[in-house]
Amino acid sequence: MRYVSTRGQAPELGFADVLLAGLATDGGLYVPDHWPTLPSLPTGSYADLAAAVMAPFVDGEIDEAAFAAMCRDAYSTFRHPATVPLVQIGPDEWVMELFHGPTLAFKDVALQLVGRLFDHVLSARGERVMIVGATSGDTGSAAIDGVKSCDNVDIVILYPQGRVSDVQRRQMTTVDAPNVHTVAIDGTFDDCQDLVKAMFNDAAFRGDMNLSAVNSINWARVMAQIVYYVAASDALGDQPVSFSVPTGNFGNVLAGWIAREMGVPAHSLIVGSNTNDILTRFFESQAMVADGVVPTLSPSMDIQVSSNFERLLFEMNDRDGGATADQMALFRTSGRMSVEADQYANWIEPVFRAARSDDADTLATMASVYRESGMLIDPHTAVGVSAARRQREAGVPVVTMATAHPAKFPDAVKKATGVHPALPEHLSDLLERPERTTPLPNDLARVQAFVRSVARR
Ligand SMILES: *Cc1c(COP(=O)(O)O)cnc(C)c1O
């Protein structure tokens, strides 16, 4: 399998190079040069299914037995024998719990595997990387947990001091591993992001440290998410099923679209947004128009643009990288782009539906699911359930992707249901574990000096 850039100017690469590169050199995102069809599915564990479904994407680059072992190791960290259990909440209505991983969010599904893939590829090449990232809460802990056992990866995560919740901070600062470092920046999340950008833009520093990132645009993250759509469809007996996905950067729902291209009988893909609804407005108006970001109860979906959408746009342009690059350039300068009526009719209309939930609707959905089924859901999942209930078609089962454990958002859950969701057993002593973090001012030179000082050479 070879990979091409959505902007058509970067060299074609194999899987291992795409994994380490993240972004393509022309600013585009890597996609496989064709969509493979699903292999015949093994019976047995989720890890076995994962190895089979992803095999065509790593073919020729990662040894088959080694890849199967990485999948087993990655998913052994999930605290449920089904890894991603499917739970029924109504007639023909299901949620798939993607949050049984170490940090209680669906990002673990991808990052537990991606950390192991990084270590495998780097050790084969005799290389090391330093991952730097900024977090406003959830991605930082999932990235840290994904790489904490990697011999060839160091990680430094910056977070805004005093602006992440106790649970979120402790999920990062209590990880006791020699390659894991957190920095509490005296500033905002935007300051943290600017520091990370500045480190990447400093070519000498970037080269010295061999800087890397595990952004949601990394192909391997999207790839790992295809598997659970296959698992859900398989569990429901291969009948047509719709999927509802609480959406931010479009990575999760894009994985559903790819699963459909590979042969999963997905009827509709329902995109749920919160008040930051650039995607829902696109699906309604055929125009992508950037707007400001407002904080909501579902912070992991508080985005201004959905970067993974570029991969679907590339398909809508019949894989013309030049046309995609032009559209993205227009969007960057004007904050606006639209697609042709026939593109919309061919690619969007038959598959995608969309709906938005404001905070009041999110709380009402959490309350009604609890009243009806006794199940506590987190605010992100509630956005998905609400969209599913408004956009589903009679007679077609619908599966909502449950992207976070309710205990990650205890205040919203308590407000909606009156119930305080307990942390699962393995995290119940989180608030007593010793923390390790380094407070630093919002100062590039100081942060760079810190990164240099912790790099294991
Ligand atoms: C990241 C995240 C999302 C959004 O997923 P995308 O792939 O960016 O669309 C939704 N819910 C939770 C809990 C998340 O952490």
Side-chain angles (χ1 to χ4, degrees), residues 106-107 138 246-252 300-301 380 403-404:
F106 94 105
K107 292 191 171 65
D138 272 352
T247 297
N249 264 324
F250 204 73
N252 196 356
S300 301
M301 295 154 60
H380 303 79
T403 51

Side-chain angles (χ1 to χ4, degrees), residues 293-307:
V293 181
V294 297
T296 70
L297 292 175
S298 42
S300 301
M301 295 154 60
D302 290 346
I303 46 91
Q304 188 173 21
V305 295
S306 299
S307 28

